[in-house]
């Protein structure tokens, strides 16, 4: 059986969709020729957001994939969204299955897939759900583990966005980071194609995942990307994929260099001291907030003073550049402090 941990970084590539046997075969032969791709991907059942667009070639694509496997010698993977897909894919000797973002959101579908995987030895990758719900993502893993699937990996493909954004799907990096903390034994693969939604952003997203010590990449490639029947703006030619992969710097998880250990220990000591100072200052600030609570109580004045709060926020915004901290970050910190401060005042007022 194909192992997801056999190589790091694990590189998966192939078209968003299998369109014709020729398009699939030509793309995959070129990918194999780069020597940099470990697994071929292609969608044949395509869950498009809106009907009327290309929804995949269906079953006949499985035979095409089996031929690709024979011609290139590379293992092949497809997306499955129900039990029937699983059974058909296994019949054709598909080596890897993945559960798409639109399926991970639905526990009924995930359970249906899990039931079809009982007693089967095939690796399965689980994409994050469309919405940033970590429990749903972890729940999908638990459903597969419960039926005995041994090789499970995760794919970070970003989360739906509303309104203007440089990304098709917001990466929200803290989500895969939290998932890794909860399930450190599962390989985490980044899908820059669906996060970026366009070719120009692929490198930046892929490099960030390498910096975060992800285990691999799944990137869509097409022999003629601009003419692709799905996701045309995010696919790259096999040649461009090769260049992209060459430009990514993969970091080591760790090193046993004594200088590194010493430098890091010293810096971490500074961080620990600063954290202690930060907490002490916060505690002191809450003490002052309680005194304010007392004064407000004596004068029977409401806790929330919107003008004062706007003044604090504006001051933080105006200082953000000088401090080298993003406005967004300062506001999040202040929001958290403000809520805690209101709670402290509340306690004093209602004692
Ligand atoms: C895909 O990988 O082609 C796909 C449909 O992705 P997602 O499930 O991430 O939208
Ligand atoms: Mn796609």
């Amino acid at each position: 059986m194909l192992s997801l941990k056999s190589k790091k970084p694990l590189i998966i590539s192939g078209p968003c969709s299998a369109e014709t046997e020729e398009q699939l075969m030509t793309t995959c032969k070129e990918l194999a020729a780069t020597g940099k791709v470990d697994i071929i991907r292609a969608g044949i059942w395509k869950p498009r957001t809106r009907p009327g667009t290309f929804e995949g070639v269906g079953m006949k694509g499985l035979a095409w994939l089996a031929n690709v496997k024979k011609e290139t010698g590379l293992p092949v993977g497809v997306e499955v969204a129900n039990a029937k897909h699983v059974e058909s894919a296994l019949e054709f000797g598909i080596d890897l299955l993945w559960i798409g973002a639109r399926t991970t959101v639905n526990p009924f579908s995930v359970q249906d897939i899990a039931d079809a995987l009982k007693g089967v030895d095939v690796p399965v990758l689980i994409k994050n759900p469309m919405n940033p719900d970590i429990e749903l993502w972890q729940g999908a893993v638990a459903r597969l583990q419960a039926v005995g699937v041994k090789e499970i990996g995760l794919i970070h493909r970003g989360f739906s966005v509303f309104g203007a954004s440089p990304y098709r799907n917001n990466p929200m990096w803290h989500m895969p980071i939290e998932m890794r903390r909860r399930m450190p034994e599962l390989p985490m693969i980044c899908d820059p194609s669906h996060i970026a939604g366009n070719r120009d952003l692929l490198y930046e997203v892929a490099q960030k995942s390498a910096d975060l010590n992800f285990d691999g990449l799944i990137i869509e490639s097409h022999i003629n990307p601009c003419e692709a029947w799905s996701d045309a703006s995010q696919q790259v030619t096999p040649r461009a994929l090769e260049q992209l992969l060459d430009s990514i710097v993969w970091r080591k998880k760790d090193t046993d260099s004594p200088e590194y250990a010493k430098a890091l220990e010293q810096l971490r000591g500074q961080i620990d001291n600063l954290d202690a100072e930060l907490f002490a200052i916060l505690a002191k600030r809450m003490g002052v907030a309680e005194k304010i609570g007392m004064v407000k109580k004596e004068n029977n004045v409401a806790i929330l003073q919107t003008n004062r709060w706007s003044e604090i926020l504006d001051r933080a915004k105006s200082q953000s550049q000088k401090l080298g901290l993003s406005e967004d970050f300062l506001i999040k910190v202040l929001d958290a402090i403000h809520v805690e401060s209101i709670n402290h005042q509340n306690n004093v007022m209602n004692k």
Side-chain angles (χ1 to χ4, degrees):
M1 185 181 57
L2 172 67
S3 166
L4 300 172
K5 289 183 182 153
S6 57
K7 182 177 164 273
K8 182 172 173 175
L10 190 72
I11 306 297
I12 307 173
S13 188
C16 174
S17 305
E19 298 163 6
T20 65
E21 182 157 25
E22 200 202 340
Q23 163 257 2
L24 181 65
M25 187 60 87
T26 323
T27 307
C28 296
K29 277 188 175 165
E30 287 201 14
L31 288 173
T34 67
K36 295 182 194 299
V37 173
D38 305 301
I39 305 172
I40 295 291
R41 64 147 282 155
I44 61 169
W45 298 289
K46 297 303 296 181
R48 307 316 297 168
T49 303
R50 298 179 61 152
T53 46
F54 176 59
E55 297 207 311
V57 295
M59 287 284 288
K60 67 177 175 224
L62 290 175
W64 301 350
L65 273 167
N67 280 341
V68 163
K69 180 176 169 176
K70 204 155 64 194
E71 291 281 325
T72 63
L74 289 174
V76 292
V78 284
E79 173 176 348
V80 290
N82 58 42
K84 182 82 185 67
H85 293 166
V86 173
E87 282 151 23
S88 308
L90 295 174
E91 248 169 65
F92 279 83
I94 301 298
D95 306 279
L96 166 87
L97 307 178
W98 82 84
I99 300 180
R102 289 165 188 75
T103 306
T104 312
V105 286
N106 184 349
F108 286 114
S109 305
V110 175
Q111 191 56 49
D112 185 43
I113 291 170
D115 292 339
L117 284 168
K118 228 170 260 170
V120 178
D121 254 352
V122 68
V124 184
L125 294 170
I126 306 174
K127 287 203 172 195
N128 67 253
M130 306 285 285
N131 53 326
D133 184 338
I134 202 132
E135 301 301 330
L136 211 45
W137 199 3
Q138 199 175 350
V141 174
R143 284 176 198 278
L144 295 201
Q145 282 173 337
V147 297
V149 177
K150 285 183 206 72
E151 281 274 330
I152 298 176
L154 302 167
I155 299 178
H156 168 229
R157 54 78 80 195
F159 304 87
S160 289
V161 278
F162 173 72
S165 163
Y167 302 105
R168 176 177 174 189
N169 289 291
N170 189 342
M172 305 180 91
W173 292 99
H174 58 285
M175 296 288 294
I177 290 171
E178 171 59 11
M179 212 44 191
R180 295 215 89 167
R181 193 188 63 77
R182 293 186 186 194
M183 319 191 97
E185 69 290 352
L186 300 190
M188 178 69 76
I189 311 282
C190 181
D191 176 350
S193 306
H194 292 90
I195 292 176
N198 74 78
R199 288 179 272 285
D200 299 338
L201 268 181
L202 291 179
Y203 167 75
E204 181 194 301
V205 176
Q207 182 60 55
K208 173 118 184 190
S209 75
D211 293 341
L212 291 173
N213 194 32
F214 276 39
D215 300 288
L217 294 166
I218 177 166
I219 297 182
E220 290 183 341
S221 52
H222 192 287
I223 196 70
N224 190 358
C226 297
E227 300 297 316
W229 298 358
S230 60
D231 290 352
S233 51
Q234 70 196 31
Q235 304 204 57
V236 289
T237 61
R239 175 81 193 108
L241 177 85
E242 190 177 7
Q243 285 169 346
L244 177 74
L245 293 174
D246 283 343
S247 60
I248 293 171
V249 183
W250 289 91
R251 322 268 178 208
K252 290 176 280 197
K253 181 168 187 285
D254 218 337
T255 161
D256 22 1
S257 140
E259 294 83 43
Y260 166 83
K262 207 168 138 216
L264 209 65
E265 190 189 307
Q266 208 257 339
L267 291 168
R268 283 182 172 160
Q270 287 183 33
I271 292 271
D272 291 347
N273 289 339
L274 287 168
D275 279 350
E277 273 180 47
L278 211 56
F279 293 152
I281 288 179
L282 284 172
K284 212 159 144 189
R285 192 187 191 284
M286 294 307 154
V288 177
E290 284 173 13
K291 284 188 188 148
I292 291 182
M294 284 305 293
V295 176
K296 285 182 184 163
K297 183 182 183 177
E298 280 155 19
N299 292 278
N300 201 24
V301 171
I303 292 180
L304 183 62
Q305 302 286 327
T306 320
N307 290 351
R308 167 69 179 153
W309 177 230
S310 304
E311 195 185 299
I312 292 179
L313 284 179
D314 289 344
R315 191 172 52 226
K317 283 187 206 161
S318 71
Q319 289 175 345
S320 76
Q321 208 169 9
K322 198 174 74 205
L323 293 168
L325 300 169
S326 74
E327 241 183 73
D328 188 44
F329 168 72
L330 282 180
I331 289 169
K332 275 191 196 136
V333 171
L334 275 177
D335 267 335
I337 292 176
H338 190 220
V339 170
E340 181 73 7
S341 182
I342 287 175
N343 290 343
H344 278 258
Q345 292 190 43
N346 233 326
N347 286 343
V348 171
M349 277 192 141
N350 298 311
K351 220 191 282 183

